[in-house]
Every structure is written in C-alpha cells, then in structure tokens.
Amino acid sequence: MTEPIGPIEPVLADPRQLPQELGGLTDSLGDAEQLVERVTAPRPTRPGSRRAAVLMMIGEEELDLTFTERSAIMRKHPGQISFPGGALEEGEGPVEAALREAHEEIGLAPSRAKVMGRLPAAHVAASAFDVAGIVAAWDGEGDSTITPVDAREVAAIHRYRIEDLADPQNRVTAVLPNGYSGPAFSMGEIFIWGFTAHLTDCLLDLGGWRRAWNPNLQVEVPQRFLRDRSGPPKGWKGPSARPS
C-alpha cells in the first residue's frame, strides 16, 4: 500500500517546456467547443451520475501513453484496460482525484505529472459515472518508477507509443452481440476498447496524430477483456504485478 499523500497541489505544465510534438494537443485543450464536440457529444453526461476522473499520462521521452490492466477479480470491468483513475472523494476536483488515484494504483508521485488540461466529462453507462480525462505530461523514466501498488486492483501496466496507437494496423472497430460498436486498439495480446478507447481516439484527434484507418474492420471484443462481475475466470491463479 502507498503512504497517504495529503492535500494534492497539481503541477501545471509550462507549454514552453513541453516537447514540440505536444504543441497541437496543448492548443486543442484550450478549445472548449472542440472538446465538447469530440469527447462529450458521443457520450453525453447524465444528470445525477456519480463523478470520476482518469489520468492520461503522456511520457515526454517516448511520447507514449500509460494504461493499466485491471485485475481479473475486480467487481467492475475486471480484466479490462483502463487509465489510472476512480471516483471523486468528498472535496476533490477531477484533477486531484486523477492524481490521487494514479498514486494509489501505480505509485506515480503527483508532482511528476504536469497537468496540460482537462477533457470534459463523458458518460460510462456500464458504471453510471460521468468521467473526466485529465491530460498530463510526465518524465516517463523507466518502468521501475511506476508499478502496480496492489495486484488485487491492477494486474499490469502497459505503455504504448502514440505512434503505434495511431498506426492503422492497430486500429479496429470493437463490436458486441448486443449491437455495441466503437473504436478499439489491438496491441498484440492487449485489446483496448470501450470508454478507454474512446478517450484514446479523442486524444489522437486532439493532438493531430490521427492517421486514416479502416473503421469497417470489425473485431468482437475478446473474452479476456469482456468478463462479467461474477468473479475471476475459471482457472485464474492471480494477477501478475509485472509491468509490460
């Protein structure tokens, strides 16, 4: 378990000190109308929903994005790929909640995240949350500096370069028998779909990194990333805490 960190004072990014490749994203994060149209319009918020926030960490060295793989024993979204994050606690704003959750889940010191901006909230129907994405740059030094804090919650950490996420070879449309369809990323053995893929897709657009891909290439969500809430899958022996 991590030590309590007390009140969080977010570090705001200085655009002049960020990598040049993040310039387009910085500009887009200041365009409120574009953000609502791109992020919230496809997933409108719902009055009375609980609030949550996730941290979208962009490594400055490799220009990569950090994801977590949720433990297979989690009651909500077990085994799925997500961003560090969770529900807002009393008195918290989205930025503070995202930074706290990243500290609790993967050991990231809040002072290492330079907050670039906030995406407007969008709705996650499966959990009835309105979730805001907090975009931050961080030094990205070595996998050993971030690691799953509690293997019962986070099974692994995955970092993918923006360049690879934007590669058309890794882009597909995820589908479910109930009629769901949405953007997805097939990264070897890892399949990113749902709300996390929605935010990732938005980030590629906002940063100017999007490349043309074939949305007609449909792939049913693999069972590994589509477990119910009844408990761990048959034969599950416990999560690995090793980052990948």
Side-chain angles (χ1 to χ4, degrees):
M1 299 293 291
T2 56
E3 293 294 327
I5 53 178
I8 294 175
E9 297 184 5
V11 177
L12 300 183
D14 182 345
R16 297 169 299 181
Q17 297 179 1
L18 293 175
Q20 184 177 359
E21 296 87 346
L22 295 179
L25 178 59
T26 299
D27 292 341
S28 293
L29 289 172
D31 187 340
E33 184 175 347
Q34 179 187 194
L35 293 179
V36 170
E37 179 180 353
R38 187 63 184 86
V39 180
T40 306
R43 289 173 170 261
T45 56
R46 300 183 183 179
S49 296
R50 294 174 293 173
R51 299 173 64 205
V54 297
L55 188 64
M56 305 173 70
M57 301 162 48
I58 302 177
E60 295 180 271
E61 292 188 352
E62 295 291 333
L63 209 66
D64 60 10
L65 200 56
T66 297
F67 300 86
T68 59
E69 181 176 343
R70 295 172 63 85
S71 167
I73 63 173
M74 294 288 286
R75 287 185 58 81
K76 295 181 179 180
H77 314 296
Q80 292 187 13
I81 305 302
S82 61
F83 293 114
L88 273 63
E89 294 186 348
E90 186 175 355
E92 280 186 328
V95 174
E96 290 77 15
L99 294 174
R100 173 184 53 76
E101 288 282 350
H103 175 70
E104 294 175 356
E105 292 182 6
I106 61 175
L108 179 75
S111 60
R112 295 182 64 192
K114 291 171 282 188
V115 178
M116 299 175 59
R118 168 187 167 183
L119 302 182
H123 192 69
V124 181
S127 55
F129 272 99
D130 285 343
V131 183
I134 307 304
V135 182
W138 74 296
D139 53 61
E141 294 179 356
D143 286 338
S144 63
T145 62
I146 55 173
T147 188
V149 173
D150 186 344
R152 295 170 299 180
E153 184 174 358
V154 176
I157 295 172
H158 304 281
R159 296 174 62 180
Y160 297 112
R161 294 185 303 169
I162 297 291
E163 178 182 355
D164 293 330
L165 290 166
D167 188 335
Q169 296 293 325
N170 299 325
R171 301 294 314 265
V172 298
T173 294
V175 296
L176 293 176
N178 65 6
Y180 167 88
S181 68
F185 300 81
S186 183
M187 311 300 292
E189 296 182 354
I190 300 301
F191 194 80
I192 305 170
W193 71 288
F195 184 70
T196 302
H198 170 65
L199 289 188
T200 303
D201 186 51
C202 291
L203 191 75
L204 294 179
D205 261 1
L206 297 171
W209 301 307
R210 170 179 289 276
R211 295 170 59 187
W213 61 285
N214 181 12
N216 294 320
L217 179 58
Q218 297 186 343
V219 174
E220 190 164 334
V221 178
Q223 187 62 36
R224 173 185 170 186
F225 305 99
L226 186 64
R227 301 189 182 113
D228 61 27
R229 302 182 186 184
S230 61
K234 184 177 180 180
W236 186 84
K237 298 180 179 180
S240 165
R242 181 174 55 196
S244 62

